[in-house]
Every structure is written in C-alpha cells, then in structure tokens.
Amino acid sequence: MSSNRGQRYVSTGVPALDAILGGGFAIARLTQVRSTQWAEVAHVVSALQAAVPGPVIPLRFDRGDVSAAIEEIRAATCNNRVVYVLAPVVDLDTDHGRTHRLMDRLARELCAHVDRDRRAAVVFFSALDWKPSSYTGVEVEGNALRFYTTVRLDLRPCGGGAVIARTLKNKLVDPFRSVRLHSVDGALTEQPDEAWQAIHADTADFYASTVG
C-alpha cells in the first residue's frame, strides 16, 4: 500500500499503471474501469484482478432496487483492500431510465460510505454500449459513475494482445496518461516500447484515432 499527499493506494503491481492512477487503486475512492470491447481486454482485466485480489460483486437491477447490493458492497469493504463491482448488462432501449436512477443511488451512497470508512478501494468494471440504437454511445450506468468516480480508466485493445489503458478522469494526478499493458502467463505487465513499435510501427497515434 502506497500513499501520495495523504491519499493511500493499493498497488496494481505494475509501476507504470500505478503512476497514471496516482499510486494504484485509490483507497476511499471509486474507480471505474471501462471498455467498449470487453472481450478483447478481458485477459488484462483478469490479470489485474489476480494481481490485486478482492471479491467481485455483480450488480442486478432486475428487481428494481439496489439496497441489497449496497449492503453487500459495504460489508465487503470492511475486510478487503479492493472490492470489484460488475456493472449490469441491460437493454438501453427499454431499461435505460430505471438503470440510470438505480446506478445513481448506488454510486452516491457508496461514494459517501467509502469516504467515511476509508478502508477499501471500490473498482467498477463496466462496458460501454455502442450498438446501433437511439442511445448509441450511452454507458449502461448513465452519468452516475462519470460524476462520482475519482478515476476513470479506459481500456482499448491495440493488437498483439496488448491493451492501452488511459485515464480519462483523475482527480488525484494529471489525467489523459496512457500505458500499454499485456498479460503474460496470467501476470499483468507493461508492454516494452520495442514490442509496441514492432506491432504498430506506423500507428503512433493509435489511441487518439480510436477513442471517441
């Protein structure tokens, strides 16, 4: 566990990733890890979870309430340094309004809880919905995580099994910083510059050309 100006962190085990996050996953803060291509970045996400163990709590909004989920996450923060929360997969054409309201309540209450408790980092894993519809580009959690998270980390596959991780929001250190990650035998690692150059010799602005 590291600290920076009084802020405590849980290291991811990858110095370059810790650097763009501020020191790792921030204790007493909400962090969002998101992607439009979850299947292509899943190996890196799995390696990240292996490097920083913690319970994984899937959210279900089909019952129209999040009280049970809030209590489960609160309980998990008492005994774990990091708690992972899986955002729900919903049909935005029919459920977007209700889902956004429920996620707003959950994020608001969890933000207040971790700030008081100050024992764990809560990390949301969420996918973006880019299907052709009237809600193209709307995230399943709406604006809730945009507002309540301290850090938003975007993952994009960039060829050869590598993934670009870029901070789109960071209230603790400068945002818009990137690192190239890879999973080697299940272990999370930074991809060396020479490997990146061999794969993308002509695409130095790869991320800028793919992120919206």
Side-chain angles (χ1 to χ4, degrees), residues 197 199-205:
Q197 291 168 2
I199 296 171
H200 291 292
D202 300 321
T203 55
D205 296 326

Side-chain angles (χ1 to χ4, degrees), residues 12 27 31 38 43 56 68 84 99 101 139 143-144 154 158 191:
T12 64
I27 297 290
T31 295
W38 203 256
H43 62 295
V56 180
Y84 298 104
T99 299
R101 289 192 297 272
E139 298 180 32
N143 291 322
D154 185 78
C158 56
Q191 187 181 56

Side-chain angles (χ1 to χ4, degrees), residues 4 11 29 32 36 76 87 120 125-126 135 149 182 193-194:
N4 180 17
S11 174
R29 307 275 186 161
Q32 181 192 25
T36 59
F125 289 141
S126 56
Y135 296 99
T149 52
H182 208 295
D193 286 342
E194 57 270 21

Side-chain angles (χ1 to χ4, degrees), residues 1 5 18 25-26 29 31 40 44 56 74 81 86 124 131 134 152 175 189 191 208:
M1 187 180 298
R5 298 179 183 176
D18 285 350
F25 289 137
R29 307 275 186 161
T31 295
E40 287 79 6
V44 165
V56 180
R74 282 176 174 170
R81 295 185 306 160
L86 298 181
F124 283 85
K131 67 181 182 180
S134 56
R152 303 180 74 220
T189 181
Q191 187 181 56

Side-chain angles (χ1 to χ4, degrees), residues 60-129:
R60 293 186 59 188
F61 291 165
D62 54 342
R63 296 179 180 177
D65 191 23
V66 291
S67 298
I70 292 172
E71 290 306 313
E72 185 178 4
I73 297 168
R74 282 176 174 170
T77 62
C78 294
N79 303 307
N80 298 277
R81 295 185 306 160
V82 177
V83 176
Y84 298 104
V85 181
L86 298 181
V89 177
V90 298
D91 183 349
L92 290 180
D93 290 325
T94 59
D95 298 334
H96 66 283
R98 181 179 62 123
T99 299
H100 292 178
R101 289 192 297 272
L102 293 173
M103 182 60 82
D104 181 80
R105 178 193 165 192
L106 182 140
R108 182 177 65 252
E109 294 193 21
L110 285 181
C111 186
H113 167 72
V114 297
D115 184 60
R116 292 192 304 267
D117 189 66
R118 309 198 72 79
R119 281 186 282 186
V122 176
V123 180
F124 283 85
F125 289 141
S126 56
L128 306 190
D129 185 357

